[in-house]
């Protein structure tokens, strides 16, 4: 479903509310609060079309707080410049979720302070937005709640270091074999969601 709004731009260093590391890819954007949905938009790819016919795909890495309106994207300066002259400041756009070809596979990261007693898990480099994360504990998968800074929390420690199931917004579920709880280490999985 296409969204309509305006695009503005800001000085992005690639990191932001989604808690990702700064990215070498300058084509990023901050999502408005309504469409950010408590970090559900983090890592999503969005195809942005300007009225002049120019278009490009950006990755959501940040939250655009008020006065950002529903439908608005705050693009990195580099991304905005590919759509219009920066002197325009803001342009009308439409945008839709994209599912681009990626050479990268999904990675998992445990947050600082994670252990077998408490952990927070982040999914990185996913092609499609992540809808749900579950951890295996006692032979069953248990869904974790998502924090607005884009980590899934196991506050009781259950499942920390166990298998992880990641489900995208299209219902595709990938199961990641158990990974050691190594805080702040990005661990590759070899898995990726199918294109949609």
């Amino acid at each position: 479903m296409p969204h309509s709004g305006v695009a503005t731009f800001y000085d992005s260093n690639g990191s932001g509310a989604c808690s990702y590391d700064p990215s070498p890819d300058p084509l990023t954007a901050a999502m408005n609060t309504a469409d950010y949905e408590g970090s559900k938009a983090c890592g999503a790819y969005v195809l942005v079309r300007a009225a002049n016919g120019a278009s490009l795909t950006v990755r959501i890495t940040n939250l655009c707080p008020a006065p950002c309106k529903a439908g608005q994207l705050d693009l990195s300066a580099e991304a905005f410049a590919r759509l219009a002259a920066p002197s325009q400041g803001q342009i009308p756009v439409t945008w839709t979720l994209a599912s681009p070809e990626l050479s990268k596979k999904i990675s998992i990261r445990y947050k600082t302070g994670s252990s077998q007693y408490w952990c927070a898990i982040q999914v990185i480099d996913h092609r499609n937005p992540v809808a749900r994360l579950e951890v295996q504990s006692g032979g069953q998968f248990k869904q974790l709640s998502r924090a607005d800074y884009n980590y899934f929390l196991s506050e009781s420690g259950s499942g920390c270091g166990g298998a992880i199931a990641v489900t995208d917004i299209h219902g595709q579920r990938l199961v990641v074999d158990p990974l050691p709880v190594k805080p702040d280490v990005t661990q590759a999985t070899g898995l990726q969601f199918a294109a949609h």
Side-chain angles (χ1 to χ4, degrees), residues 152-173:
F152 292 86
L153 308 180
S154 177
E155 303 192 52
S156 67
S158 63
C160 296
I164 298 168
V166 184
T167 305
D168 73 6
I169 61 168
H170 306 291
Q172 185 182 3
R173 186 173 186 259

Side-chain angles (χ1 to χ4, degrees), residues 8-170:
T8 49
F9 66 93
Y10 74 112
D11 256 343
S12 163
N13 64 3
S15 63
C18 292
S19 306
Y20 293 132
D21 291 335
S23 169
D25 179 4
L27 301 180
T28 60
M31 182 63 79
N32 66 79
T33 303
D35 294 310
Y36 185 75
E37 291 187 81
S39 83
K40 285 182 186 161
C42 287
Y45 288 90
V46 174
L47 174 62
V48 186
R49 296 183 193 280
N52 63 10
S55 66
L56 81 164
T57 300
V58 294
R59 181 172 165 250
I60 303 302
T61 59
N62 208 348
L63 168 65
C64 180
C68 262
K69 300 173 189 67
Q72 182 172 348
L73 293 173
D74 203 15
L75 303 174
S76 63
E78 294 90 337
F80 189 93
R82 292 199 189 179
L83 295 175
S87 59
Q88 288 186 252
Q90 122 174 359
I91 57 169
V93 294
T94 58
W95 57 270
T96 54
L97 284 177
S99 184
E101 280 303 315
L102 293 182
S103 57
K104 298 175 182 175
K105 302 295 185 198
I106 290 173
S107 294
I108 299 292
R109 177 165 52 194
Y110 282 97
K111 188 170 179 13
T112 307
S114 289
S115 71
Q116 67 196 45
Y117 307 108
W118 176 93
C119 65
I121 303 168
Q122 183 181 55
V123 184
I124 304 169
D125 292 328
H126 42 90
R127 171 186 274 149
N128 304 323
V130 172
R132 191 165 83 200
L133 185 140
E134 301 159 277
V135 289
Q136 192 170 27
S137 176
Q140 295 184 326
F141 278 95
K142 173 186 161 211
Q143 185 172 343
L144 299 185
S145 62
R146 187 180 205 154
D148 59 5
Y149 52 88
N150 194 34
Y151 274 87
F152 292 86
L153 308 180
S154 177
E155 303 192 52
S156 67
S158 63
C160 296
I164 298 168
V166 184
T167 305
D168 73 6
I169 61 168
H170 306 291

